[in-house]
Amino acid sequence: MTAALTTLGDIAASEPVYRILLIEDDVADAVLVEELLHDTELRFELTTSTSLAEARSELAVRAVDCILLDLHLPDVSGTDAVADVRAMAPHTAVIVLTGLSEKQAGSEAMAAGAQDYLVKGKVEADLLRRTVRYAVYRSHTERVAAEAQSARLRAEENVRLERGLLPRPLLDTSTVTVTTRYLPGAEQALLGGDFLDVVEGDGGLLHAVVGDVSGHGPDAAALGVCLRIAWRSLVLAGHHGTELLHLMERLLVAERGTQPLFATCTLLTLDQKAATATLYLAGHHEPLLTTAEETLEVPAEHGIALGIIPGHRDWPATVIPLPDTGALTLYTDGLTEGHNGDAGGRLGIEGLLPLINTTPSADPAAHLDSLIRQTRALNERPHTGRIRAFRQRGEAA
């Protein structure tokens, strides 16, 4: 049976309240520990469990700062008890309670992961107070260090994934300026499955892709990297249009394994001599075309996302004329799926276009930065979004 008791000492209220779980099946020993805690004048909340199973149930519903653990419980004993408790509460201080005859038990318990140990019958209030305080402090320090290490590893993983998802455009003689922006879905989050690339091919043709693998996290990002690299390799090898999408879909199906992942993407081939752009939409939304007058969504035929019906090959082409100067914007839906501020609902393309049309566009980088700031302010939280703008050099666009 589990009993909860809250006790506050007479010391300053600024002192922390230690949430303590005592795992002890001997009632007399449990009473003695409780009395000693009172004598320490620590501010504490004490919960008592008589078995590991009870402790597991208790830890499932409440967090504690310190666990006082008897090594001889009805359902576990010795260092196995320490290992089990550490597995249940890896970031909680564990202090082992040993008997007078257990000379090696304390050191073995610390080797198994306990912060400290106390010998029953030799514990005084001052010693218990110092031990609890130090153990909790040490546990907190270890947790902070572990979180810092995790953040460093996450940052390194982000850098590696970003190199694969967001490569440098491969341009030689093109008069097109490429500007990109990327925002993760949450602070410290791994990149999602969005990917993009630009490659200049033969005959002055500029090829670009923006894609989005379903889901978030390392699996989606890794698949996005595979698709991005495959796209660049296949384009440089001379594959385009429907055949290119078919080969990318084959790779997606092979790499996703049993996971129900799919990908949407937009392929763009820009012919600067003919002043046309050829579009293939595989489950993706239309790009935006900015002229000197306004920005509008490009009307284009839609095809099915990659991996939904493998082998279907339903990707019609759309050819659009281009102005002498202007910009094409390809983006993933993170830019439009946020909330539209006080207007309510999702921002959508209906909310995005007025923002674009009222945002100065002379400098592509400043234009994108301003647009992202506005959409984030409306949404009131960061969201996944990526924009790629292809802007021809010339007079004001």
Side-chain angles (χ1 to χ4, degrees):
M1 183 178 219
T2 299
L5 172 69
T6 301
T7 302
L8 300 181
D10 296 328
I11 60 176
S14 60
E15 286 292 313
V17 177
Y18 294 95
R19 298 166 296 179
I20 299 173
L21 172 63
L22 172 62
I23 310 177
E24 172 65 76
D25 64 326
D26 188 300
V27 176
D29 285 348
V31 171
L32 180 60
V33 170
E34 182 182 334
E35 292 177 349
L36 279 170
L37 283 170
H38 280 286
D39 293 340
T40 64
E41 293 188 345
L42 290 172
R43 290 160 52 89
F44 67 90
E45 297 175 358
L46 179 64
T47 303
T48 302
S49 296
T50 59
S51 68
L52 185 69
E54 279 191 11
R56 180 178 288 108
S57 300
E58 201 63 49
L59 290 169
V61 297
R62 74 180 72 223
V64 299
D65 302 305
C66 181
I67 297 174
L68 301 177
L69 173 65
D70 178 42
L71 288 181
H72 299 288
L73 299 171
D75 46 358
V76 68
S77 63
T79 56
D80 289 342
V82 179
D84 289 345
V85 168
R86 292 289 293 171
M88 290 187 293
H91 301 302
T92 301
V94 177
I95 300 172
V96 165
L97 305 176
T98 69
L100 290 171
S101 61
E102 300 173 299
K103 295 182 178 180
Q104 299 298 321
S107 57
E108 291 174 356
M110 292 186 66
Q115 265 72 35
D116 211 332
Y117 71 95
L118 297 170
V119 179
K120 293 179 181 180
K122 290 190 174 183
V123 182
E124 296 180 352
D126 287 345
L127 175 60
L128 180 57
R129 181 176 63 251
R130 290 195 301 270
T131 303
V132 168
R133 282 178 168 170
Y134 173 73
V136 172
Y137 173 78
R138 179 180 172 189
S139 178
H140 174 74
T141 302
E142 291 174 351
R143 180 170 66 253
V144 170
E147 291 172 351
Q149 175 66 7
S150 177
R152 285 193 294 270
L153 293 175
R154 190 182 299 114
E156 292 172 1
E157 181 69 7
N158 274 347
V159 171
R160 287 193 294 270
L161 289 173
E162 185 171 344
R163 281 199 296 264
L165 292 168
L166 313 172
R168 291 181 180 275
L170 189 58
L171 304 175
D172 295 321
T173 61
S174 175
T175 60
V176 171
T177 299
V178 177
T179 306
T180 66
R181 291 294 185 270
Y182 176 89
L183 290 176
E187 291 185 12
Q188 298 184 340
L190 285 171
L191 301 181
D194 296 1
F195 59 94
L196 51 85
D197 203 354
V198 179
V199 169
E200 185 177 354
D202 297 332
L205 298 179
L206 192 73
H207 305 282
V209 62
V210 168
D212 182 4
V213 177
S214 59
H216 298 281
D219 290 334
L223 185 54
V225 171
C226 287
L227 291 175
R228 201 282 305 167
I229 294 174
W231 177 87
R232 176 174 282 203
S233 301
L234 291 168
V235 166
L236 291 175
H239 296 280
H240 307 292
T242 300
E243 180 63 21
L244 172 57
L245 288 167
H246 171 63
L247 293 173
M248 291 176 64
E249 183 176 63
R250 288 183 60 188
L251 176 67
L252 181 149
V253 172
E255 291 293 330
R256 72 183 177 184
T258 58
Q259 299 182 85
L261 298 176
F262 63 91
T264 68
C265 68
T266 294
L267 300 189
L268 168 71
T269 297
L270 195 154
D271 188 334
Q272 298 171 76
K273 293 180 180 178
T276 61
T278 301
L279 296 170
Y280 290 87
L281 305 181
H284 214 75
H285 40 256
E286 299 90 337
L288 307 177
L289 177 61
T290 298
T291 64
E293 291 77 28
E294 60 182 343
T295 297
L296 295 172
E297 199 170 27
V298 174
E301 293 190 69
H302 286 261
I304 194 168
L306 305 182
I308 298 294
I309 308 178
H312 188 57
R313 295 195 183 205
D314 180 21
W315 302 297
T318 300
V319 180
I320 60 171
L322 297 176
D324 293 336
T325 183
L328 276 169
T329 302
L330 279 65
Y331 61 98
T332 57
D333 57 9
L335 185 65
T336 56
E337 68 184 4
H339 293 285
N340 191 13
D342 296 336
R346 296 293 179 182
L347 179 66
I349 188 64
E350 298 81 6
L352 180 64
L353 287 177
L355 291 180
I356 294 176
N357 286 322
T358 56
T359 301
S361 58
D363 177 11
H367 177 75
L368 296 185
D369 290 337
S370 177
L371 188 60
I372 290 172
R373 283 195 299 270
Q374 292 179 74
T375 56
R376 292 183 69 181
L378 288 172
N379 192 33
E380 295 184 350
R381 66 176 184 272
H383 60 277
T384 303
R386 180 175 295 102
I387 311 171
R388 174 175 295 281
F390 304 94
R391 184 177 300 276
Q392 290 179 274
R393 294 193 184 97
E395 298 180 2

